[in-house]
């Protein structure tokens, strides 16, 4: 018999039937016991995104290639937060840190011990897709006790960093897939050892990214108050709990990412076994990248997408990525949070309102030479 499938959404939620179909396909795999789909559920490559899947068998493809991807929140103190001025000071986060060439970079201060797996490729870079580094302002406080515990007050500034293990996780999945396809890991302990390296690497990378930005903005780096990975597998109650685009929700604080033009929501998660102890990780895509690109070019200009409805600035020199990541390509974050609350999976604590969102280095306009 297939495993049970639970979808934690409401009739007003945007859930594609293709994503639900993928949940049932996963539920039919050998050893699967329960699939919990979050309200940000959408189709992925081979497996749904926004789902937590429990099994007696470990399936690497259910975690995907970006092992260790997650979202961290770092307090930051700045004298003035003028988006236009600060956007121009963000460093080039496509340029990886090199231990020799960049030995004097102050961001290295956050590194304690060795780099996991010795993987230096892409270290200190944000990546593409929906990854970002964002300077944001804390909004109104909904749960004062939780906010006090985190040391947050309305008006505070934070850096939100969403990134993963870059090429390390991709290498781990590729090597497994070349040998075993979508099949289970023949040696779960060996896979988990490499997987854990990628999870640690992703967390280190988020710290390096925050430190690089903090120094560039004239601030001191801080420790994260939230750092939750949403692409991972853990052993729980004798089962392998795979999460792909789902954050651990067993008594942890989670930043559920909005879009470039909407707030994100910090929640105190308290999901139970029926939700596989998980909560949503973001708004979730409503359109494929191809659809977002096609519709976005017909509806928006580049200038409109670089200045958002909340007054923030998007730093992105990749025009195609601007359209692919337009706010309209995503579900309503308020609906996702409402569903988490309605199903008693999380308590809203506060919001983070974007000021500057970094995607890629901006491209300076070409200066036209005047005629003599």
């Amino acid at each position: 018999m297939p495993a049970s499938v639970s979808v934690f959404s409401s009739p007003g939620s945007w859930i594609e039937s293709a994503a639900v179909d993928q949940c049932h396909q996963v539920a039919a795999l050998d050893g699967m016991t329960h699939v919990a789909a979050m309200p940000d559920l959408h189709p992925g490559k081979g497996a749904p995104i926004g789902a937590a899947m429990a099994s007696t068998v470990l399936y690497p493809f259910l975690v995907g290639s970006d092992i260790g991807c997650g979202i961290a929140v770092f307090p930051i103190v700045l004298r003035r937060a003028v988006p236009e001025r600060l956007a121009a000071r963000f460093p080039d986060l496509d340029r990886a840190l090199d231990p020799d060439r960049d030995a004097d970079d102050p961001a290295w201060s956050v590194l304690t011990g060795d780099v996991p797996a010795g993987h230096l490729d892409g270290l200190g870079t944000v990546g593409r897709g929906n990854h970002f580094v964002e300077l944001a302002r804390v909004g109104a406080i909904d749960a004062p006790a939780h906010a006090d515990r985190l040391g947050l007050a309305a008006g505070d500034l934070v850096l939100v960093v969403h990134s993963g293990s870059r090429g390390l996780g991709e290498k781990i999945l590729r090597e497994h897939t070349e040998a075993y396809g979508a099949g289970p890991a023949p040696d779960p302990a060996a896979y988990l050892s490499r997987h854990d390296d990628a999870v640690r690497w992703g967390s280190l990378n988020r710290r390096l990214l925050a430190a690089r930005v903090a120094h560039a903005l004239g601030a001191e780096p801080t420790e994260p108050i939230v750092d939750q990975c949403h692409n991972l597998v853990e052993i729980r109650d004798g089962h392998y709990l795979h999460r792909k685009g789902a954050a651990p929700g067993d008594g942890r604080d989670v930043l559920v990412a909005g879009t470039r033009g909407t707030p994100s929501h910090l929640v105190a998660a308290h999901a139970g076994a029926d939700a596989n102890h998980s909560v949503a990780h973001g708004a979730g895509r409503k359109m494929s990248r191809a659809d977002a690109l096609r519709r976005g070019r017909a509806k928006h200009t580049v200038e409109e997408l670089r200045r958002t409805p909340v007054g923030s600035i998007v730093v992105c020199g990749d025009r195609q990525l601007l359209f692919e990541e337009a706010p309209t390509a995503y579900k309503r974050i308020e609906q996702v949070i409402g569903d988490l609350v309605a199903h008693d999976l999380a308590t809203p604590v506060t919001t983070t309102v974007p000021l500057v969102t970094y995607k890629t280095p901006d491209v300076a306009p070409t200066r036209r030479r005047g005629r003599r």
Side-chain angles (χ1 to χ4, degrees), residues 92-347:
D92 181 355
L93 300 179
D94 273 4
R95 179 182 177 276
L97 288 174
D98 181 88
D100 296 323
R101 181 192 64 214
D102 304 308
D104 295 332
D105 195 302
W108 289 116
S109 64
V110 303
L111 173 62
T112 57
D114 297 328
V115 175
H119 185 76
L120 299 177
D121 294 344
L123 195 61
T125 62
V126 65
R128 287 292 192 271
N130 61 350
H131 294 162
F132 63 87
V133 178
E134 186 168 271
L135 175 67
R137 191 182 300 279
V138 174
I141 303 298
D142 299 310
H146 286 296
D148 289 344
R149 174 173 52 80
L150 292 169
L152 290 177
D156 286 352
L157 297 178
V158 293
L159 287 174
V160 180
V161 182
H162 178 198
S163 189
S165 58
R166 308 294 282 115
L168 180 57
E170 189 276 333
K171 178 183 178 182
I172 294 171
L173 181 65
R174 173 167 37 83
E175 291 179 0
H176 171 84
T177 303
E178 288 173 350
Y180 308 104
D187 185 347
Y191 170 81
L192 285 174
S193 177
R194 301 185 71 192
H195 160 282
D196 292 349
D197 278 343
V199 171
R200 287 191 292 269
W201 198 98
S203 182
L204 168 62
N205 198 44
R206 290 188 284 277
R207 284 163 169 76
L208 282 169
L209 286 164
R212 295 183 75 180
V213 173
H215 284 298
L217 299 184
E220 288 297 318
T222 60
E223 286 294 307
I225 57 173
V226 172
D227 187 8
Q228 294 299 337
C229 171
H230 50 240
N231 283 4
L232 78 164
V233 59
E234 65 173 310
I235 299 176
R236 186 174 189 122
D237 301 326
H239 289 67
Y240 297 106
L241 179 52
H242 312 75
R243 291 188 177 98
K244 186 176 177 65
D250 48 351
R252 309 192 206 186
D253 302 300
V254 176
L255 195 287
V256 186
T259 71
R260 308 296 73 76
T262 61
S264 296
H265 290 252
L266 181 60
V267 303
H270 39 74
D274 55 341
N276 275 340
H277 309 282
S278 303
V279 294
H281 80 309
R285 292 197 71 89
K286 185 171 67 174
M287 302 179 196
S288 68
R289 294 190 175 278
D291 283 344
L293 183 60
R294 176 175 53 83
R295 297 183 186 186
R297 282 175 169 168
K299 187 175 181 179
H300 303 291
T301 65
V302 169
E303 289 70 25
E304 288 172 343
L305 294 178
R306 284 180 170 163
R307 172 71 76 168
T308 75
V310 296
S312 64
I313 292 176
V314 178
V315 180
C316 183
D318 185 334
R319 292 187 172 217
Q320 178 173 324
L321 187 62
L322 269 174
F323 289 108
E324 291 176 348
E325 289 292 304
T328 51
Y330 284 83
K331 304 177 186 185
R332 291 180 59 249
I333 186 62
E334 296 81 8
Q335 182 70 51
V336 171
I337 300 300
D339 286 350
L340 293 178
V341 173
H343 289 281
D344 196 27
L345 302 184
T347 297

Side-chain angles (χ1 to χ4, degrees), residues 1-13:
M1 293 293 292
S4 55
V5 176
S6 299
V7 182
F8 292 87
S9 63
S10 63
S13 301

